[in-house]
Each structure stands twice: as structure tokens, then as C-alpha cells.
RNA sequence: UCCGGUGUGGCGCAAUGGUAGCGCAAUCGACUGUUAAUCGAUGUGUUAGAGGUUCGAAUCCUCUCACCGGAGCCA
């Protein structure tokens, strides 16, 4: 007989059929009436199916000791209307098989709530909890929705390299990739001789696929990347990972306004998709993780983001009576406290700050006519902060070359990037969205380590 | 990396210089179409590690480690 997933099973209204379910026992309650109640979960959805196992069933007497919280079982039986409260349907077992036992005295997951800190120490078992099941289902749905959003709009999904030689862009410290003998590397003039390394030059893990994305946007018009990204920053916060996933669309013929329009539409689309397609899991987050999450997401979907220039933002901050730790002056980067004040207290919704001072932003961002600001934008969410950073790219060869030099970067290393401006250059824009921050925001989970299956942070790469 | 906090049975926590305890889980039993069942009984500790102060340290001091929160860097 073919196994049926519990998600399908719970959608059925008619009983009396013979079915087969397989899954992990969440809890077992015995009745001296001569039967046991088993709650089975297979991860296909939040809900469990209750199975009634009569103690006269042959297998039960043999397997009784083996059926504990955490064990894995297969149950044949009839789907019937439940006599008890709390569930409509249940399975009257006719046959039982135990695939794997879980010794109750040593199984680390108990029938109670655990702290997320503890669950991180048992990252191989935490997906068997309600919270992590829900997080990973929502994460998967968001990934699907991301592809759907861009695919519907004719964007080409582009895979940019993970191992790269562009030791550049200033996005962050990089992880080096090498096959050289670390205890005795070959040297020339006292320096490591990368000519003898695997790729014949120094290579690292990518910090962004943007520059490569621009290559393809200036050929296919609209592309997006969605893949892993690596930053060797010693960041120890609830919003940073050393290995995370990033979505980076890059579009020819888009100016900064088009870029902001796309970013806003994108975020709203994703939130609406999850509200519609993960309602059960979202209901769980609303009850157990953040009581305002559904309201917050709906509010964002239904309202326009507030767009203001960096100069306006500075002005508003200077007008406010709020006591900031960092003083506010035109030309300084906005601090987390400033961003939060604007999105949480002033506008109470997502904001997009754009036209930042040239001096605090990257070399590739397009210089405005005023000569002192660039067409950069950040999407800031209440509580979470920056979720998207983007810009219109500088398409003028001479200006780009000057900005490279002003940033103390070697134009030689960017020869192909400059070539894009020598041959058929075009106005173009793009942005990057941190996937885990999105999952964090959507689920209401407080720590980014709990929205990725295997978090990598400084001094932590176990599992 | 900086600032602050925490570290005590399997898990969550208490004990404010004087006998290390509670809840949950586990084990055994009772009871029941049960719902994170309920009731009773039982076992569980190098108080993160090292050193110091003291008649006496989970508690005070020093160092190390781990984790958490905030900041910076960013997505």
C-alpha cells in the first residue's frame, strides 16, 4: 500500500478507508481501557495524526516498549471519525511496524518546550520540533515564491560563481580558498606564491554575485541570482551569518525608482504568498513566537512603503527630540538606532532611504547630478532593520574609473567590469536581499541562527 | 571586535558566605476515549574549568571557555 502524507490525510473529510502513514511519534498516551494513543508527525505539516492502537493487536505486545517519543513507525489502519475531542479524524490501527526506536532515557527531545539555545546544540534533531518544522516549511515556500516572482516577470535565473578571484567590492572580509600546504606554503620574495595554488591565483568564496550579475543583465536584460554568500566578518549578532543566502536581481534599463518599485513589489509579493500558502504555520508563529506577526505582515502588504531621501532622513532625525547615542550629521552613516526610530516610531512601516552621500557608499553606485550623492537605496524594516541594499549602477566609463581610483581600488583588477561600460553600456540597477533576514522577519524568529538549517557563525561550523 | 549579562541533575529554573532544592522529563505503579492527560512513588549533581580569599564558597576575587543580549561591520 502507498503511504499517505499526514498533510493530505488531514484534508480528508470521509473516513472508512484503509491507509498507511509513516512518521515519528510525538507523544504516546496509554489507556488501561486496553489501547494507546499515538500522535504521529511526518513533517508534511504542523498537525499530527492520532492513531489508536488496540493492545490486542499482535504487534503491539511485541513492540510496546519500542514505541516512545521520537521513535519512527509505520501504521496501517482505517481512517475513522474520532470519538474524542480535539481532532476530527483518527486512525484505527490494524498493523504496526517500528522503523527506529528512540531510547526514552537518552533521547534529547522531550514532550515540552526547549530553549532555542539548547536546540542549537542538537541541530541534527531540532527539525523534529514544531517550530523548526514550521520555519523550514516557510523557508522553502519563500524560496519557491522568489523563483516564481522573477520567473513570472521574465527574469533569467543566473548562477554566479562561488569561488571567485575578485577580491573586491568592499562587501566584507573573504574566506580564502586554497589547496596549498598551510604549514609550508611556496613563497616568492617572502610572499605566498599563489601561482602554485590550485587556480593559479588567490581565490576566495564570493561575498556577492552582483558584479557578475551585471554582466548578464547587460545581455539578457533582467536576471536574478539566488545562492549562498560568505562573509568572514567577526560579527556576533542575531542578524548575521558567515554563510547566508542572498537574492540579487539585476536589471538593464531600470533607474533607481524602478529599482525601488521592484523591491517593494517583491517584498509584498513574498509576504502575501506566505500568508496565503503557509497559513497553518503562520498561525503557529502568531501564537507561539510573535503575537503581532500576522497583523504586521498584512499591514505591510496593504500599505505603501515610505520613501525618503537620506537628506530628508537626516533632517527628520535632527528635528526629533529623541536622545540618540550617535549624533546625526549629514555625511555620516545612519546608525541602527536612527533606522529603527524612523521605521518604528516615525512611519511605523517599511521605509526606503535613498540618495546617500557618495563618500559612505560603494564605488559602483551611480553618481547623482549634485556630485555628492549616489543613487543607492536601503529598504529598512521595523525591528529587523536593513533587509535590502541596492542601487543604480554607474554606467559611465570615465566616472566609474575615477570612482575606482578614489576608492583606492586597482582598475586593472576590474578590467572586465569596466569593459561593460566600454561596450554597449546601459543604465541598470539591482539590489540584494538577505534570504535569512527575510525568513526571520516573516516568522518572527528572533535569532537568525534559527532560520537556517545549519548556521555558520564565527567559531561555529558544527553539523 | 567592544560593552553588558548568564553558566547549578537530561531540560527549565531556585538557593543573596552556613545541610544544594523545585517544576518538567525519565523509571515504576494507579486511573482514564486520552489531548504537552492526571495522581502517587523512585533515582538523578566534581554548582562550566583552573586558581585565590575564608573556619566555611553555587554565592566574593582573578584568569580561561561557552552561551545570550546590545553595538560596530553588513544582507
Amino acid at each position: 500500500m502507498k503511504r499517505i502524507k499526514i498533510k493530505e490525510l488531514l484534508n480528508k473529510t470521509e473516513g472508512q478507508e484503509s491507509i498507511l502513514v509513516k512518521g515519528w511519534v510525538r507523544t504516546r498516551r496509554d489507556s488501561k481501557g486496553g489501547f494507546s494513543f499515538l500522535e504521529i508527525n511526518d513533517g508534511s505539516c504542523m498537525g499530527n495524526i492520532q492513531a489508536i492502537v488496540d493492545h490486542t493487536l499482535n504487534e503491539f505486545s511485541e513492540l510496546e516498549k519500542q514505541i516512545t517519543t521520537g521513535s519512527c513507525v509505520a501504521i496501517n489502519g482505517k481512517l475513522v471519525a474520532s470519538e474524542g475531542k480535539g481532532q476530527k479524524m483518527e486512525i484505527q490501527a490494524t498493523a504496526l511496524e517500528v522503523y527506529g526506536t528512540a531510547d526514552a532515557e537518552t533521547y534529547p527531545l522531550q514532550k515540552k518546550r526547549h530553549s532555542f539555545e539548547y536546540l542549537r546544540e542538537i541541530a541534527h534533531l531540532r527539525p523534529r520540533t514544531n517550530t523548526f518544522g514550521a520555519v523550514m516549511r516557510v523557508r522553502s515556500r519563500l524560496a519557491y515564491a522568489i523563483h516564481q516572482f522573477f520567473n513570472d516577470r521574465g527574469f533569467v535565473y543566473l548562477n554566479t560563481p562561488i569561488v571567485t578571484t575578485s577580491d573586491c567590492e568592499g562587501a566584507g572580509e573573504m574566506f580564502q580558498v586554497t589547496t596549498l600546504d598551510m604549514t609550508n606554503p611556496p613563497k616568492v620574495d617572502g610572499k605566498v606564491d599563489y601561482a602554485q595554488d590550485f587556480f593559479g591565483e588567490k581565490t576566495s568564496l564570493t561575498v556577492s554575485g552582483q558584479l557578475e550579475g551585471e554582466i548578464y543583465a547587460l545581455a539578457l536584460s533582467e536576471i536574478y541570482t539566488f545562492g549562498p554568500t560568505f562573509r568572514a566578518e567577526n560579527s556576533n549578532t542575531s542578524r548575521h551569518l558567515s554563510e547566508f543566502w542572498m537574492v540579487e536581481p539585476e536589471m538593464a534599463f531600470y533607474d533607481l525608482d524602478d529599482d525601488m518599485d521592484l523591491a517593494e513589489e517583491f517584498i509584498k509579493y513574498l509576504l502575501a504568498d506566505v500568508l496565503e500558502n503557509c497559513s497553518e504555520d503562520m498561525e503557529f508563529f502568531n501564537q507561539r513566537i510573535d503575537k503581532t506577526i500576522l497583523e504586521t505582515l498584512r499591514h505591510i502588504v496593504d500599505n505603501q512603503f515610505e520613501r525618503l531621501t537620506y537628506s530628508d532622513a537626516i533632517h527628520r532625525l535632527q528635528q526629533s527630540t529623541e536622545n540618540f547615542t550617535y549624533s546625526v550629521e549629514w555625511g555620516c552613516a545612519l546608525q541602527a538606532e536612527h533606522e529603527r526610530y524612523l521605521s518604528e516610531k516615525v512611519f511605523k512601516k517599511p521605509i526606503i532611504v535613498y540618495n546617500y552621500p557618495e563618500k559612505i557608499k560603494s564605488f559602483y553606485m551611480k553618481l547623482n547630478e549634485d556630485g555628492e550623492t549616489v543613487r543607492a537605496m536601503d529598504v529598512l524594516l521595523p525591528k529587523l532593520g536593513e533587509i535590502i541594499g541596492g542601487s543604480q549602477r554607474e554606467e559611465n566609463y570615465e566616472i566609474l574609473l575615477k570612482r575606482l581610483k578614489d576608492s583606492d581600488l586597482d582598475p586593472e583588477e576590474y578590467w572586465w567590469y569596466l569593459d561593460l561600460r566600454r561596450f554597449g553600456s546601459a543604465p541598470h540597477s539591482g539590489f540584494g536581499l538577505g534570504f535569512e533576514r527575510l525568513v526571520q522577519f516573516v516568522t518572527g524568529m528572533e535569532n537568525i541562527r534559527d532560520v537556517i538549517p545549519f548556521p555558520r557563525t564565527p567559531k561555529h561550523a558544527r553539523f
Side-chain angles (χ1 to χ4, degrees):
Chain A
M1 191 189 293
K2 191 168 181 267
R3 164 196 169 227
I4 183 171
K5 288 190 185 185
I6 291 168
K7 184 180 182 181
E8 271 177 74
L9 198 53
L10 293 175
N11 283 331
K12 287 189 180 297
T13 47
E14 293 297 309
Q16 294 303 322
E17 352 173 12
S18 205
I19 46 121
L20 169 63
V21 293
K22 300 181 177 185
W24 291 267
V25 176
R26 279 295 173 80
T27 165
R28 163 182 165 182
R29 295 178 290 271
D30 293 329
S31 168
K32 281 298 181 292
F35 46 88
S36 295
F37 300 94
L38 304 184
E39 294 271 352
I40 311 297
N41 185 284
D42 65 3
S44 61
C45 61
M46 174 66 60
N48 303 325
I49 185 79
Q50 174 167 280
I52 314 294
V53 183
D54 200 287
H55 292 180
T56 58
L57 193 70
N58 284 338
E59 294 93 321
F60 187 81
S61 46
E62 298 163 30
L63 301 174
E64 179 175 5
K65 295 270 181 196
Q66 298 181 25
I67 304 169
T68 57
T69 297
S71 61
C72 186
V73 298
I75 295 178
N76 265 102
K78 280 208 170 90
L79 190 63
V80 297
S82 179
E83 290 176 37
K85 295 170 195 164
Q87 63 279 316
K88 277 183 262 176
M89 316 292 285
E90 62 191 18
I91 297 171
Q92 199 79 50
T94 54
L96 184 65
E97 186 184 347
V98 174
Y99 285 131
T101 58
D103 176 42
E105 291 193 53
T106 51
Y107 184 57
L109 285 174
Q110 300 165 5
K111 295 192 290 186
K112 65 171 204 170
R113 284 186 92 157
H114 291 288
S115 68
F116 293 132
E117 292 81 10
Y118 171 64
L119 291 174
R120 270 172 229 147
E121 294 169 14
I122 48 167
H124 58 311
L125 296 171
R126 68 179 185 168
R128 299 188 194 178
T129 63
N130 285 335
T131 303
F132 283 91
V135 166
M136 294 312 154
R137 282 188 296 271
V138 168
R139 182 184 165 104
S140 172
R141 179 71 211 190
L142 280 167
Y144 178 76
I146 284 165
H147 285 297
Q148 191 165 264
F149 176 86
F150 288 119
N151 195 54
D152 286 353
R153 284 156 184 75
F155 282 57
V156 172
Y157 176 41
L158 183 77
N159 300 118
T160 47
I162 289 173
V163 175
T164 168
T165 54
S166 38
D167 180 19
C168 59
E169 212 238 312
E173 290 295 309
M174 303 182 92
F175 289 102
Q176 199 180 328
V177 176
T178 182
T179 53
L180 293 177
D181 179 3
M182 297 304 287
T183 58
N184 186 26
K187 290 189 178 176
V188 189
D189 301 332
K191 288 185 172 176
V192 176
D193 181 16
Y194 286 108
Q196 293 187 46
D197 203 352
F198 187 88
F199 292 106
E201 56 188 309
K202 192 176 178 183
T203 50
S204 308
L205 295 177
T206 184
V207 291
S208 165
Q210 182 202 314
L211 303 191
E212 292 89 346
E214 286 184 51
I215 294 175
Y216 276 79
L218 293 174
L220 305 176
S221 293
E222 288 152 333
I223 64 94
Y224 71 104
T225 72
F226 183 13
T229 312
F230 308 86
R231 305 257 168 109
E233 300 286 350
N234 191 8
S235 303
N236 278 293
T237 83
S238 55
R239 296 179 305 283
H240 290 84
L241 291 165
S242 309
E243 176 182 302
F244 64 100
W245 285 60
M246 191 149 64
V247 183
E248 294 179 290
E250 192 70 35
M251 301 75 64
F253 318 121
Y254 273 52
D255 64 15
L256 188 65
D257 287 327
D258 299 327
D259 201 31
M260 290 192 283
D261 288 345
L262 185 74
E264 179 168 348
E265 188 187 354
F266 182 46
I267 288 179
K268 286 178 174 173
Y269 178 93
L270 297 176
L271 301 194
D273 183 278
V274 165
L275 285 171
E276 186 182 337
N277 296 297
C278 300
S279 52
E280 190 189 26
D281 290 324
M282 289 309 301
E283 193 60 48
F284 172 84
F285 292 122
N286 201 56
Q287 278 176 22
R288 305 294 280 270
I289 305 295
D290 177 352
K291 302 231 184 281
T292 66
I293 194 70
L294 287 176
E295 191 193 330
T296 301
L297 298 189
R298 287 196 196 103
H299 184 256
I300 290 173
V301 170
D302 295 337
N303 288 280
Q304 282 207 319
F305 290 11
E306 188 70 33
R307 297 185 192 184
L308 70 165
T309 63
Y310 169 86
S311 299
D312 284 347
I314 293 295
H315 185 69
R316 281 195 179 257
L317 290 166
Q318 286 173 337
Q319 297 296 306
S320 93
T321 54
E322 195 86 358
N323 266 333
F324 294 118
T325 309
Y326 294 84
S327 64
V328 181
E329 268 175 77
W330 200 96
C332 295
L334 293 180
Q335 303 294 318
E337 58 173 350
H338 304 142
E339 297 179 346
R340 292 188 61 153
Y341 172 76
L342 291 171
S343 64
E344 291 170 22
K345 293 194 174 165
V346 178
F347 299 109
K348 298 182 169 60
K349 59 179 178 178
I351 60 174
I352 308 182
V353 180
Y354 63 101
N355 285 350
Y356 281 85
E358 171 261 326
K359 286 193 168 53
I360 59 172
K361 288 291 184 180
S362 299
F363 73 91
Y364 53 73
M365 298 178 175
K366 185 175 174 61
L367 197 63
N368 274 312
E369 289 77 18
D370 60 17
E372 53 184 15
T373 62
V374 289
R375 297 197 184 170
M377 63 98 174
D378 285 348
V379 179
L380 309 173
L381 296 179
K383 284 184 189 170
L384 191 80
E386 185 176 348
I387 190 166
I388 281 179
S391 66
Q392 184 170 342
R393 320 306 188 190
E394 183 56 72
E395 83 267 24
N396 180 287
Y397 179 85
E398 298 299 335
I399 298 177
L400 184 63
L401 186 63
K402 181 174 186 300
R403 298 209 64 212
L404 268 170
K405 288 175 181 166
D406 290 349
S407 306
D408 285 329
L409 294 168
D410 180 7
E412 288 280 304
E413 285 185 30
Y414 291 86
W415 67 273
W416 54 264
Y417 192 67
L418 284 162
D419 253 13
L420 298 175
R421 278 74 178 168
R422 288 176 66 204
F423 307 116
S425 188
H428 61 290
S429 302
F431 62 78
L433 171 137
F435 185 53
E436 282 73 21
R437 289 197 181 165
L438 175 73
V439 180
Q440 222 187 329
F441 187 75
V442 166
T443 58
M445 295 293 287
E446 286 191 350
N447 197 308
I448 202 164
R449 297 173 181 99
D450 299 327
V451 299
I452 187 168
F454 305 103
R456 266 92 183 94
T457 50
K459 294 193 173 149
H460 201 109
R462 247 186 313 164
F463 296 106

